[in-house]
């Protein structure tokens, strides 16, 4: 899953980015509202973490502009604890949830997981596909109740396909959501990881839809 993090405090930005990457997300970072607005307007993200108090363009304006342009990715806003009016303004502008500063990073991760699940139509932290279960809370995969060891890239690919289970997902969409903006889009790594997942789990878990992409 690909996340946009827009936070002008460089230390907090780095801390959050490290935690998100450790949890298996791909993170693009922005440090002001104009840069964040541009990235959110031009790149595909599964969710955004957006601070309200940003230089150049405040977070509320950034979010309002995205929503007016029909950019509907889930947005988690970061607000000041004592500014209840910021929370109201954020929700009215189109935020899906908010976390007040100072916060525990675990809360941000939990709320992001929930936003991404709900956006994909899943209520539970566990997504099942036959004998395979993806535990989004623990970032763990089991088959017939037994744990399966996956690399971070294998897990990301499986997670994206299962979040969109039953849908045909193109190779381009997978690359856009699993890698940062500098990744070589001509690489054949998607095919390699699909092959590995079929061997580690079972062959029919991921279907190749010729000319269109993959479906779990």
């Amino acid at each position: 899953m690909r996340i946009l993090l827009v936070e002008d405090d460089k230390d907090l930005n780095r801390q959050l980015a490290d935690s998100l990457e450790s949890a298996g997300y791909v993170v693009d970072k922005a440090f002001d509202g104009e840069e964040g607005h541009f990235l959110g307007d031009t790149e595909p993200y599964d969710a955004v973490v957006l601070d309200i108090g940003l230089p150049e363009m405040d977070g509320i304006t950034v979010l309002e502009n995205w929503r007016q342009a029909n950019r509907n990715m889930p947005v988690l806003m970061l607000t000041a604890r004592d500014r209840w009016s910021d929370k109201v303004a954020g929700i009215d502008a189109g935020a899906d949830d908010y976390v007040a500063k100072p916060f525990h990073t675990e809360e941000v991760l939990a709320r992001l997981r929930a936003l991404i699940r709900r956006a994909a139509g899943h209520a539970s932290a566990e997504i099942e596909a036959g004998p395979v279960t993806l535990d989004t809370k623990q970032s763990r995969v089991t088959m017939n109740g037994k744990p399966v060891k996956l690399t971070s890239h294998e897990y990301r690919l499986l997670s994206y396909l299962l979040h969109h289970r039953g849908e045909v997902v193109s190779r381009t969409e997978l690359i856009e959501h699993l890698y940062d903006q500098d990744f070589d889009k001509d690489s054949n790594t998607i095919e390699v990881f699909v092959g590995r997942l079929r061997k580690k789990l079972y062959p029919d878990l991921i279907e190749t839809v010729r000319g269109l992409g993959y479906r779990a």
Side-chain angles (χ1 to χ4, degrees):
M1 299 292 171
R2 189 174 171 194
I3 306 294
L4 172 61
L5 171 60
V6 191
E7 167 60 62
D8 62 311
D9 183 315
K10 292 186 178 180
D11 289 336
L12 181 56
N13 192 309
R14 184 180 65 252
Q15 174 191 339
L16 278 172
D18 288 346
S19 296
L20 288 165
E21 289 167 354
S22 295
Y25 296 103
V26 175
V27 183
D28 289 345
K29 297 179 286 187
F31 297 91
D32 64 63
E34 285 188 355
E35 181 185 15
H37 175 262
F38 174 77
L39 287 173
D41 206 37
T42 56
E43 296 287 336
Y45 293 103
D46 296 288
V48 178
V49 180
L50 176 66
D51 187 31
I52 281 187
L54 294 168
E56 308 302 334
M57 184 188 298
D58 66 86
I60 297 295
T61 302
V62 170
L63 181 54
E64 287 176 339
N65 289 344
W66 282 341
R67 296 313 192 215
Q68 288 169 8
N70 294 318
R71 301 291 289 168
N72 296 320
M73 61 282 194
V75 173
L76 176 67
M77 295 213 79
L78 305 180
T79 71
R81 180 174 294 279
D82 58 348
R83 291 288 298 274
W84 63 267
S85 58
D86 283 351
K87 301 169 187 175
V88 173
I91 296 297
D92 284 344
D96 298 273
D97 201 355
Y98 65 84
V99 175
K101 297 178 180 179
F103 50 75
H104 292 288
T105 305
E106 290 79 6
E107 181 181 4
V108 173
L109 293 173
R111 290 181 181 273
L112 271 180
R113 287 194 300 268
L115 288 181
I116 292 170
R117 285 200 312 270
R118 288 201 295 267
H122 299 285
S124 171
E126 294 186 348
I127 303 174
E128 296 183 353
V132 174
T133 300
L134 177 87
D135 186 336
T136 61
K137 182 178 179 181
Q138 303 293 332
S139 298
R140 183 177 62 181
V141 174
T142 59
M143 188 168 71
N144 295 318
K146 297 180 179 179
V148 179
K149 188 174 182 179
L150 300 180
T151 67
S152 61
H153 284 93
E154 290 166 356
Y155 176 85
R156 288 176 190 168
L157 176 58
L158 180 65
S159 177
Y160 194 85
L161 288 173
L162 291 189
H163 272 84
H164 299 83
R165 194 169 182 221
E167 303 174 21
V168 177
V169 181
S170 71
R171 179 180 174 279
T172 299
E173 181 178 347
L174 286 170
I175 289 174
E176 287 177 337
H177 286 265
L178 299 181
Y179 299 98
D180 62 31
Q181 61 205 53
D182 297 324
F183 181 76
D184 175 12
K185 291 181 171 55
D186 292 328
S187 171
N188 68 341
T189 55
I190 296 297
E191 290 82 357
V192 172
F193 291 134
V194 167
R196 290 182 185 174
L197 286 170
R198 285 171 173 159
K199 290 180 180 178
K200 289 186 177 183
L201 298 169
Y202 62 95
D204 296 333
L205 174 63
I206 301 172
E207 173 190 1
T208 298
V209 182
R210 191 170 298 279
L212 296 177
Y214 300 97
R215 177 169 50 206

